Amino acid sequence: MIGKSVPMLDALARVTGEVDYMVNLRLPNMLVGKIVRSQSPHAKLLKVDTTNALQVSGVVAILTGADLGANAFYGAAIKDQGVVAVDRVRYVGEPVAAIAAENEDVAEEAAMLLDIEYEELPSVFDAQEAIQSGAPTLHEKYPNNIFIHSKLRHGDMDAAFAEADEIFEDTFTSPLAQQSSLEPHVTAAQWDGDQLTVWAGTQAPYMVRRVLSENFGISQEKIRVVVPSLGGSYGGKGHIRIEPLVAAMSRKTNGRPVKFLLSRAEEFVTVTKHAASITLKTGVKRDGTFTARQVTVYWNGGAYADASPLLVPQGMVRAVGPYRIPAVHVDSYGVYTNLPPAGAYRGAMSSQATWAYESQMDIIARKMGFDPLEFRLKNLFVSGDHFATGETLHDVHFVDCLEASAKAMNPSTSLRAKVGRGYGVMMKSTVSTSKSQARMSLADDGKVTLFTSTVEMGQGAHTAMAQIAAESLRIPFEMVRVVGPDTNVTPFDSTTSASRTTNMMGNAVIAAGTSLKRKLIELAAPLLEIPSEELLAENGKVFAKETSISYAEILKRNNLNSLEETGEYSTASKMDPETGQGKATPHWHQGAGAAEVEVDTETGHVTILRYTSAAFAGRVVNPHLAQLQNDGNVIFGLGPTLMEEMILDGGQVTNPNLADYAIPSIRDIPLELISVCIESDEQELHGIGEMTLPPVAPAIANAIEDAIGVRIKDLPITAEKILHALQEKSKP
Amino acid sequence: MQIKDSFVINAPQEKVWELIFDIPRLSKCVPGIESVEVVDDKTYRGKLVVKVGPIKSEFTGTVTLTEITAPNRIVGTVDGDDKASASMVKAGFSGTLTPVENGTEAAFIIDVNLRGRLAQFGGPVITATAKKLTAEFAKNLRAQLE
C-alpha cells in the first residue's frame, strides 16, 4: 500500500466543494464573535468603556481586559500576550475587546460604540533599531527587547578566519509576509459548566488544550479540542493563537457557543512570517573549501513572543547551511517590536536562512571563479560528516537532491541572452522533541478505524496515514477510515508541522498496526491449531500454508466486537544552551531546486521558464501526493521570492488584502515544473512537507544574476528592484 | 505617509492668507467640510466627510495651529477619528504661501498617520484621494479669489 498513488480519501468531496471546513461550522444557538482592535502601535490603555455598546439590542456580552483576572496572559512559550489587551497595547491590530452578538451587524454596531482611550507611547518597528539603547521597551522583563538569544559555538573562529584566502560578508533580508492560507483563523467555543469544548482551526490540538487548561486553571480532561478539515495553514495555525480569546469570550455567554471567523485584514495582524536580517561572514580557501562562518540573525518577533522562543533556536541551526565548515558561530536573536506577532511560516526560519546562505554560495563562487553547481557538490555534507552542533549526520542525500534537480534542468544546454540558471539546497531540522500516538481499532466486519490527532489541512496526511495503516496491518486501503483530531477521542500528538507527520505519526501508526497484527495472529493460532510463529498476515487474513481465517472471523470466533492497539513514537534531541552543541533534531530535512529564468531588462519582469526540485523522502508513501506537495511548495515559494511583502506605515498594515498583497496565481507558475523524491536504502519514512520551498528564492536570485549580472539581497525580487540594480550597474 | 502638493492661485499673497483665516469662507472651499467650530484662534473643531473607494467616512476632530507666520507659513496638527469606519488620523502639516509671477503658490506637506480600516487601502489610494481633494480645494479657492 505504501508507494501507491491512491487518491486522497476525500478527493471527491474536495473537488465538489463538500468538505466541511471550519468556516462552515454551525452550532445550535451560536453567537457571532467580533474582535475590536487597537489603532495604536504602542499606547497605555486608559479606558475601555462598554456601557453604550452593551445597550445595543442583540449584544450578549463584551470581553475586556478587566474580565481576565490572574490568568490574563498566554503564549506558546512566554506568557506575554493578553487574551485581550490589559492596560497597554503594543501593535496596531491587537485585540482590545471582543463582542458576542446575535449577528454580525449587531456586533459591528456595538464595536462602534465602544469607548476606548489611548495614551500614545513611542514605538519601534525595526528589530535592529529596537535593540539600540534608548529604543522604547515593549516588555519590562526584556529591557533591550531581546527575548531570546540562541548561540552556536563550534571551533576557533579567529584561527579559522586566519586560514581563509577570501572572506565574504553579506547581509540578506526578508520582509514581513503572510502565510496566506485561504481559510482564515476560525475558532468556536462553548462552555457547559466547567467543561469547555473548542472547535479550532489549529495544527496542534493538544497544545491548544494544554494552554487553555493553564489559562483557565482547569484540568486538561475538562477541555475538548476538535479540529475539522482545515483550508490550509502553512504554520499560521501552528501554535496557540485566538483560542484563549474565543474561550474567554464564550465563558460570558451563559453556555451559548461563539464562533470567531477572522477577515483577511485581521489575518494580517494575527500572525506573520518573521522579517529577518541575516549577516553571513564566510571564510573560503582558494581550493574551494570553507574555513569558517559567522552568522548573525535578527528575527523580528513583533509585539509578543508567540512561537518565536521555540523557533529562534531552530532558526539558529537552520541558518548554518548544508556544507562542511570547520568553524561556525551563530547568534540568533528574537526581538520585540511594535508589529503583529510573528510565527511559523512554511519551512519556518529555513525560508529566510536558505535565502541567505544559498545566495552567498553564488556570490562566493562567482568571485572565486568556481562553477556554482560544482562548488556546492564539492562541499555538501555526506553521511558520516559532522554538523556544527557536533552531531554525526546519517542518511544524508544533499548531493542526490542537487544532482536530481540539476539533471532535470539539463545544465549542458546553452542559454540565450538574458536567460540564466541557479541552484539552491536546504537543510532543515524538524521538531527536536516530540511524540505521536495512534490508535487502530479493528471491528468485527473487518474494517479498521485509525484514530489520529494528525490534522488534515489539504496536504493529504490522513490519506498517507491510512496507507501506512493498511500496510502495517496487511489490509486493503479501502478498509481504513480515519477519525480525528478530537482530544476526547484521538490520542496525543505534539503537532502537525515541521514536516514531521509522515515520520512521527507514520511510525506510531506502524507500531499500532504491527501490534494489532501480532494480536490477531495470537488469537488465530488456537483457532487454526497452528503455532503463531508459523502464521502470516496478509490481505485481511491470517494464514498458514493451506488454511486461512479472516480478521473479521477471528474477532467473531473470539466473541470480540472490536480489537484495538495503540502505537507510539517519540524523539528527544537536546543542545547545550550556551554552545548549541549536542543534537539539534532527530533527522534532517533535505531538499534542492534549480531555476531557469528569463529577465526582461526593459520592465524588470522575471519569467520562470523551468523549475526542477528534489526532496529527500526516505520512502515515498504516495508518489502523486508527494509530487503535488513538492510542486505546491515551489509555487508557494514564488510568492515571497517575487512579490509578497507586507507594507507598513507607522505600524499600520496598508495592504492587508489579497488584491494589494499578491500571492502567486496560475499565471505565475513556471512553464515547466518538475519534482522528484529521493528514496534511500534505509527506507525510513521522512516528511516532505517543506523541503522544496526554501531553495526557491535563492535559486531564482542566482539564476537572475546568471542571466543579467545583478545581485538582489532583499526579498522580494520585484521588477522595480531589478531595474534599479540594472541602472546602478550601468553607472560608470 | 507623507503627502506633498502645491498649486498656484491668481491672487496676491495677502488675499490668500486672509481667506485661510476667514473660517466661513474657507469652509466652503474645503471639500467635504460639514461643520467648523472655532474653539480659540489656534484651535478649530470640525467634521469632515471623505469618500475613499467604497467607504464613506465622517471624521470628527481637532485642528491645532502651532505656528502662524503671517502671511507666509502655518504649521499645525490634526487629530480625528471616524467610529463608523473604525479609523483614526493623526497628522502634522505645514503650509507656505509664496508670491510667484502670476499670483501665489500654496504648498503643503502633511505627515499623515492613518490607522484602521481606511488605512488598509494603502498609500497609493490615499495619495490619489488626497490629490483629488487638493485639486478640488484649489478650484474652490480660485472661485473665491480670482
Side-chain angles (χ1 to χ4, degrees), chain A residues 345-660:
Chain A
Y345 173 96
R346 200 174 187 179
M349 316 320 242
S350 272
S351 284
Q352 297 94 327
T354 308
W355 163 240
Y357 61 69
E358 282 302 272
S359 291
Q360 200 189 37
M361 280 302 279
D362 269 44
I363 292 175
I364 296 169
R366 277 172 199 285
K367 174 86 190 298
M368 297 192 71
F370 309 137
D371 174 74
L373 181 59
E374 292 305 320
F375 179 46
R376 285 182 171 81
L377 291 171
K378 180 188 170 86
N379 286 291
L380 279 171
F381 281 130
V382 295
S383 291
D385 279 341
H386 297 283
F387 186 60
T389 51
E391 68 201 86
T392 308
L393 301 169
H394 301 285
D395 214 0
V396 176
H397 299 272
F398 294 109
V399 169
D400 298 335
C401 288
L402 180 57
E403 282 185 332
S405 309
K407 194 176 156 213
M409 188 54 71
N410 194 8
S412 59
T413 54
S414 61
L415 300 173
R416 62 181 184 276
K418 295 172 190 169
V419 174
R421 284 195 194 109
Y423 302 94
V425 186
M426 81 107 206
M427 175 177 191
K428 179 179 181 283
S429 51
T430 184
V431 182
S432 55
T433 298
S434 72
K435 189 194 280 181
S436 292
Q437 294 175 332
R439 192 166 81 246
M440 275 167 75
S441 176
L442 172 70
D444 60 6
D445 60 357
K447 295 208 168 152
V448 169
T449 305
L450 170 63
F451 294 92
T452 174
S453 294
T454 284
V455 177
E456 178 58 60
M457 41 201 163
Q459 84 279 44
H462 280 191
T463 307
M465 291 309 120
Q467 286 181 264
I468 295 168
E471 171 115 349
S472 64
L473 193 54
R474 316 306 295 172
I475 51 171
F477 174 71
E478 297 72 30
M479 301 297 274
V480 185
R481 84 181 170 119
V482 182
V483 165
D486 176 342
T487 57
N488 271 16
V489 179
T490 56
F492 182 84
D493 184 34
S494 297
T495 165
T496 304
S497 67
S499 311
R500 67 180 281 287
T501 294
T502 307
N503 173 255
M504 296 290 301
M505 186 58 76
N507 279 308
V509 171
I510 289 173
T514 308
S515 47
L516 193 50
K517 188 176 74 182
R518 202 177 304 127
K519 232 180 188 177
L520 284 162
I521 289 175
E522 279 162 20
L523 288 170
L527 299 175
L528 296 172
E529 295 174 352
I530 297 172
S532 57
E533 309 80 74
E534 291 170 31
L535 294 173
L536 284 172
E538 197 60 64
N539 201 21
K541 287 175 191 164
V542 172
F543 65 94
K545 270 178 193 155
E546 277 157 17
T547 175
S548 73
I549 182 168
S550 73
Y551 292 173
E553 196 61 24
I554 296 170
L555 263 61
K556 278 180 201 145
R557 299 262 300 268
N558 280 284
N559 205 17
L560 292 168
N561 299 104
S562 67
L563 192 62
E564 280 193 3
E565 279 296 310
T566 299
E568 182 175 308
Y569 193 72
S570 62
T571 54
S573 314
K574 210 169 173 223
M575 293 182 290
D576 180 88
E578 285 306 309
T579 63
Q581 297 303 288
K583 194 167 164 53
T585 174
H587 63 259
W588 291 92
H589 294 314
Q590 305 163 50
E596 191 174 292
V597 309
E598 180 163 27
V599 186
D600 182 333
T601 49
E602 295 277 308
T603 64
H605 182 76
V606 176
T607 304
I608 317 298
L609 301 172
R610 297 198 288 162
Y611 196 97
T612 58
S613 67
F616 175 60
R619 184 182 180 195
V620 177
V621 177
N622 186 318
H624 182 62
L625 291 185
Q627 188 205 334
L628 293 180
Q629 185 72 17
N630 287 335
D631 289 347
N633 268 326
V634 173
I635 297 164
F636 188 97
L638 295 173
T641 303
L642 297 172
M643 59 196 90
E644 291 184 39
E645 177 174 17
M646 283 171 63
I647 307 289
L648 289 118
D649 183 18
Q652 163 77 50
V653 187
T654 63
N655 59 344
N657 57 72
L658 295 182
D660 296 317

Side-chain angles (χ1 to χ4, degrees), chain A residues 30-330:
Chain A
M30 188 170 84
L31 296 166
V32 168
K34 182 178 172 61
I35 300 173
V36 180
R37 295 173 181 278
S38 165
Q39 291 179 357
S40 171
H42 200 184
K44 281 186 194 160
L45 205 49
L46 300 181
K47 180 168 96 177
V48 184
D49 185 345
T50 60
T51 316
N52 293 332
L54 280 168
Q55 301 304 312
V56 178
S57 159
V59 170
V60 174
I62 297 176
L63 176 77
T64 69
D67 294 309
L68 299 171
N71 299 318
F73 296 93
Y74 74 104
I78 299 174
K79 290 187 171 47
D80 59 358
Q81 186 164 11
V83 170
V84 291
V86 182
D87 304 336
R88 191 159 154 193
V89 292
R90 294 181 178 84
Y91 72 93
V92 176
E94 176 169 353
V96 172
I99 298 166
E102 297 292 346
N103 60 55
E104 276 173 44
D105 292 345
V106 166
E108 190 85 25
E109 194 184 340
M112 276 166 55
L113 294 171
L114 267 187
D115 191 2
I116 305 171
E117 262 180 41
Y118 304 97
E119 183 188 315
E120 296 268 342
L121 296 167
S123 45
V124 64
F125 306 110
D126 179 82
Q128 278 155 281
E129 282 172 28
I131 62 174
Q132 304 300 322
S133 65
T137 294
L138 272 84
H139 299 268
E140 271 59 41
K141 204 176 158 198
Y142 303 93
N144 60 0
N145 292 318
I146 298 173
F147 57 84
I148 185 168
H149 173 197
S150 295
K151 288 172 262 187
L152 185 76
R153 302 285 182 262
H154 188 81
D156 180 344
M157 295 300 277
D158 291 340
F161 273 119
E163 280 175 35
D165 294 313
E166 292 264 5
I167 293 172
F168 293 82
E169 188 164 344
D170 300 281
T171 298
F172 302 90
T173 69
S174 305
L176 225 58
Q178 274 291 294
Q179 287 80 359
S180 310
S181 57
L182 285 189
E183 182 182 47
H185 287 78
V186 197
T187 295
Q190 181 170 29
W191 287 84
D192 179 3
D194 65 348
Q195 307 260 340
L196 168 65
T197 304
V198 180
W199 294 264
T202 179
Q203 295 169 239
Y206 274 90
M207 178 196 288
V208 168
R209 193 177 75 151
R210 176 177 56 76
V211 173
L212 291 177
S213 137
E214 290 165 7
N215 247 65
F216 292 100
I218 54 173
S219 65
Q220 296 200 42
E221 313 86 76
K222 293 199 166 165
I223 302 171
R224 178 182 182 188
V225 180
V226 183
V227 184
S229 217
L230 303 190
S233 186
Y234 315 119
K237 299 163 188 169
H239 297 83
I240 188 86
R241 217 137 268 142
I242 63 168
E243 296 86 359
L245 180 149
V246 180
M249 179 77 261
S250 64
R251 210 173 201 188
K252 295 190 76 181
T253 57
N254 290 321
R256 291 182 71 178
V258 189
K259 178 181 167 187
F260 285 76
L261 163 61
L262 300 193
S263 68
R264 183 57 56 184
E266 289 182 291
E267 284 290 286
F268 276 69
V269 292
T270 299
V271 61
T272 65
K273 174 189 183 186
H274 289 87
S277 166
I278 304 185
T279 301
L280 298 175
K281 184 181 165 193
T282 307
V284 191
K285 283 193 195 166
R286 236 169 257 120
D287 67 1
T289 57
F290 293 101
T291 66
R293 173 167 276 174
Q294 169 84 51
V295 190
T296 312
V297 194
Y298 296 99
W299 305 101
N300 191 331
Y304 297 100
D306 197 290
S308 296
L310 311 172
L311 295 167
V312 169
Q314 295 292 342
M316 171 186 78
V317 291
R318 290 171 191 173
V320 176
Y323 303 101
R324 279 183 296 277
I325 309 175
V328 176
H329 279 200
V330 185

Side-chain angles (χ1 to χ4, degrees), chain B residues 41-52:
Chain B
D41 60 353
K42 283 180 181 165
T43 318
Y44 306 87
R45 207 173 284 150
K47 197 187 269 182
L48 179 92
V49 175
V50 59
K51 202 164 174 282
V52 180

